[in-house]
Amino acid sequence: MNDKWLGASGLVLNEPLIFEKGAKGRKAYSLPKLDVEKANPEDIWPPKFIRDELEGFPEMSEVDVVRHFTRLSQWNYGVDSGFYPLGSCTMKYNPKVNEEMARLPDFAGVHPYQPEEFAQGAIQIIYELEQYLGEVSGMDRVTLQPSAGAQGELTGMLMIRAYLMDRGNPRKKVLVPDTAHGTNPASSSLCGYQVVQVKSDERGRLSPRAIEEKMDEDVAALMVTNPNTLGLFEDHICEVAQIVHQKGGLIYCDGANLNALMGLIRVGDMGVDVLHFNLHKTFSTPHGGGGPGAGPVGVKAHLADYLPLPVVVKEGDRFRFEYNRPKSIGKVRSFYGNFGILVRAYSYILSMGAEGLKKASLLALLNANYIRARLKGTYHLPYDFPCMHECVFNDKLQNQFGVTALDIAKRLMDYGFHPPTIYFPLVVHGALMIEPTESEAKETLDQFIESMIQIAKEAETDPELVRSAPHRTKVSRLDEVLANRKPKLRWKP
Ligand SMILES: *Cc1c(COP(=O)(O)O)cnc(C)c1O
């Protein structure tokens, strides 16, 4: 191990639970002596809400409280602390200027019940962001309401269902390739459709033949992730879309991975009817840990009547919300979406410009292909093609020494890197899915690559070292199954 590099060491302090700290009677404040009569709590609150004793409540000084939470925050690992190659998640750096914009008091403080005439600037941002996303994707209309990629999928599928119902038959099935993101079959199913899996070919892609075989007049849509979860571009998408359209079905494209495509190709030009974006991946919202997010949905003109309520309309230089839309699928969440995230995306798009977005995608592709080319041979590459924004290896070569993808991922932490996504996509046994994003310098990628090569050597010469990793973290192998099955969420004194 090369200690010049990253790796956990030094002054990262241990910290017990807050309940285990402090001392009886210690306080984080000091107030002057009361010079008025002490009020009786029972005159203020109903007695049933008044506790005599707060057993086990931590009593601490101010500095101890500050240190407690500061120490815990230092245990966190995020994009601001280091490389985070978590495939399918686009954990890229989010420029701080976009955070600043979202925090401007007039944006942060705007109230959803504020009359439209006093929120013109905010509504204009919603309107213009819809236009920008339409331009990036080639879709005719966009809604910004859904709060996650998965909710965007459900919104899109509900619109497809409403459209088909208007034509007399909502149909029964949705085709989903085996390389799709797991949320795709889930959303289809939530929308009442039966999921029919389509096998990808030996190139890890959809073949027109496979679609032809499964496509019939019971199929409502094909839901396709592009680039797919192997990081490969679905290069038969136009032909496939034609086959589906001929039989009256629609194409849903999961565009969560738009970080690979911005400024390079427009999904709307490839026969796609509905597309969702993940603003919290591609467009500058930090994510992880469950949100908040934003999963806008773009549609072609023939689906515009079904968009969720309300839609924003521009009249002269004024903006307003329109609710009178009889064909709309209705509301998919409260108010107008996660507005702060929309501001970040708006600011990101304006500050990057068209050329900047294109360059971001090109660098994301370059970085992924650099890692792919340098690690190929050291790690097995089951689909050996140029990739888009991520590349998928597996643990086949290390398996012969008894080392698995999980062991490799754990050992990477000793080298100071967040592990990549493992065991996904499901079509690759023992997958290691690496997405470097555009925001990393070559030096960082080289450190990561060298660490991966080193781990491959260790797997051969000292497999036990890798199997028992991580060694330099605060805790090593946790019982993840037990933690999930029996979470301990309550502390008892
Ligand atoms: C992340 C992701 C999703 C789901 O997005 P959420 O915001 O987590 O619901 C869907 N599809 C793909 C391809 C993704 O990468």
Side-chain angles (χ1 to χ4, degrees):
M1 166 152 305
N2 186 336
D3 279 328
K4 276 189 313 206
W5 291 352
L6 302 163
S9 62
L11 265 179
V12 179
L13 300 168
N14 278 323
E15 186 64 12
L17 295 176
I18 196 163
F19 303 100
E20 293 161 16
K21 298 190 72 173
K24 196 138 188 68
R26 191 169 293 164
K27 288 187 169 59
Y29 62 88
S30 53
L31 295 175
K33 247 190 154 53
L34 261 191
D35 58 0
V36 292
E37 205 181 318
K38 195 173 169 199
N40 180 8
E42 294 182 15
D43 295 339
I44 307 174
W45 296 290
K48 66 174 174 181
F49 295 131
I50 299 171
R51 278 199 263 195
D52 300 330
E53 184 75 36
L54 252 187
E55 215 194 323
F57 195 79
E59 295 180 77
M60 295 167 78
S61 68
E62 180 175 321
V63 66
D64 282 341
V65 174
V66 169
R67 283 183 182 156
H68 176 75
F69 289 106
T70 303
R71 284 174 192 171
L72 292 185
S73 78
Q74 287 166 342
W75 293 3
N76 196 14
Y77 189 91
V79 173
D80 287 358
S81 37
F83 186 43
Y84 208 130
L86 195 66
S88 195
C89 289
T90 312
M91 302 298 284
K92 67 182 187 179
Y93 177 72
N94 303 295
K96 295 291 173 263
V97 65
N98 307 318
E99 291 297 317
E100 297 269 327
M101 294 304 108
R103 283 171 170 73
L104 288 175
D106 291 344
F107 291 140
V110 70
H111 194 282
Y113 280 137
Q114 212 154 305
E116 284 168 13
E117 57 270 34
F118 300 128
Q120 282 292 302
I123 308 177
Q124 181 175 359
I125 283 184
I126 294 179
Y127 181 85
E128 288 179 4
L129 181 59
E130 285 180 10
Q131 307 281 310
Y132 295 152
L133 292 176
E135 196 173 325
V136 169
S137 63
M139 304 308 282
D140 298 323
R141 282 300 309 251
V142 176
T143 174
L144 304 179
Q145 285 176 47
S147 300
Q151 202 195 4
E153 291 172 27
L154 179 63
T155 303
M157 291 312 294
L158 286 170
M159 285 193 270
I160 288 177
R161 192 178 183 93
Y163 171 87
L164 291 171
M165 261 164 73
D166 249 2
R167 270 145 202 77
N169 179 5
R171 303 193 170 192
K172 296 196 179 74
K173 301 183 284 187
V174 170
L175 305 183
V176 180
D178 56 5
T179 55
H181 194 265
T183 47
N184 294 185
S187 304
S188 307
S189 186
L190 257 181
C191 204
Y193 287 112
Q194 179 197 334
V195 175
V196 178
Q197 200 181 72
V198 185
K199 262 183 102 63
S200 46
D201 64 11
E202 62 294 339
R203 297 165 59 249
R205 277 164 264 219
L206 268 184
S207 76
R209 206 161 37 83
I211 294 296
E212 226 151 33
E213 271 170 25
K214 306 260 171 171
M215 188 62 207
D216 61 32
E217 267 145 42
D218 275 339
V219 172
L222 165 72
M223 247 187 139
V224 55
T225 304
N226 201 12
N228 67 27
T229 57
L230 290 167
L232 300 174
F233 185 70
E234 292 290 355
D235 48 5
H236 291 301
I237 180 81
C238 295
E239 243 180 299
V240 161
Q242 242 175 16
I243 297 168
V244 173
H245 286 153
Q246 258 161 21
K247 294 234 161 94
L250 298 180
I251 303 290
Y252 184 103
C253 181
D254 178 336
N257 295 330
L258 214 70
N259 211 47
L261 306 180
M262 290 184 296
L264 302 178
I265 53 161
R266 301 199 323 162
V267 173
D269 297 341
M270 301 185 298
V272 168
D273 301 287
V274 187
L275 166 82
H276 85 257
F277 311 76
N278 270 35
L279 298 189
H280 47 291
K281 286 178 185 167
T282 318
F283 295 96
S284 199
T285 282
H287 64 115
V297 180
V299 294
K300 281 303 181 64
H302 53 280
L303 288 152
D305 284 348
Y306 306 94
L307 285 166
L309 292 176
V311 298
V312 185
V313 289
K314 186 179 181 193
E315 282 158 353
D317 59 357
R318 309 298 291 166
F319 300 89
R320 66 175 181 84
F321 292 113
E322 172 62 57
Y323 286 88
N324 182 17
R325 314 239 325 153
K327 293 198 167 183
S328 164
I329 58 165
K331 281 193 87 61
V332 295
R333 62 152 287 147
S334 55
F335 304 115
Y336 322 111
N338 275 327
F339 182 66
I341 287 163
L342 309 181
V343 177
R344 286 173 177 84
Y346 182 81
S347 166
Y348 178 70
I349 291 174
L350 282 186
S351 57
M352 293 288 277
E355 275 311 303
L357 294 183
K358 180 173 173 181
K359 201 165 167 192
S361 293
L362 282 173
L363 283 173
L365 305 196
L366 180 68
N367 284 353
N369 278 287
Y370 179 65
I371 289 180
R372 182 184 60 83
R374 282 207 54 199
L375 286 181
K376 183 179 149 180
T378 306
Y379 291 89
H380 180 64
L381 191 61
Y383 294 90
D384 187 1
F385 303 99
C387 61
M388 297 293 285
H389 61 303
E390 60 196 358
C391 53
V392 181
F393 292 96
N394 73 5
D395 58 8
K396 188 173 170 194
L397 300 177
Q398 287 68 42
N399 274 175
Q400 56 186 312
F401 313 112
V403 169
T404 66
L406 180 74
D407 302 328
I408 296 162
K410 297 280 187 201
R411 183 65 177 146
L412 258 176
M413 289 193 249
D414 287 334
Y415 285 85
F417 292 103
H418 193 283
T421 298
I422 51 174
Y423 301 111
F424 183 82
L426 301 177
V427 287
V428 172
H429 186 80
L432 289 149
M433 183 195 214
I434 300 166
E435 178 180 6
T437 82
E438 72 277 14
S439 47
E440 300 304 326
K442 180 166 177 293
E443 291 80 0
T444 306
L445 300 183
D446 284 335
Q447 284 181 358
F448 174 76
I449 290 163
E450 294 302 330
S451 304
M452 286 292 284
I453 292 171
Q454 196 64 33
I455 293 169
K457 281 191 193 135
E458 289 169 355
E460 207 172 327
T461 56
D462 191 358
E464 197 37 48
L465 178 73
V466 185
R467 275 203 297 265
S468 52
H471 303 283
R472 310 182 82 192
T473 50
K474 286 197 169 292
V475 288
S476 189
R477 300 257 173 149
L478 302 174
D479 188 338
E480 289 157 9
V481 176
L482 186 70
N484 274 292
R485 292 237 167 104
K486 295 188 178 164
K488 210 174 142 186
L489 304 175
R490 221 172 255 284
W491 181 83
K492 288 208 189 76

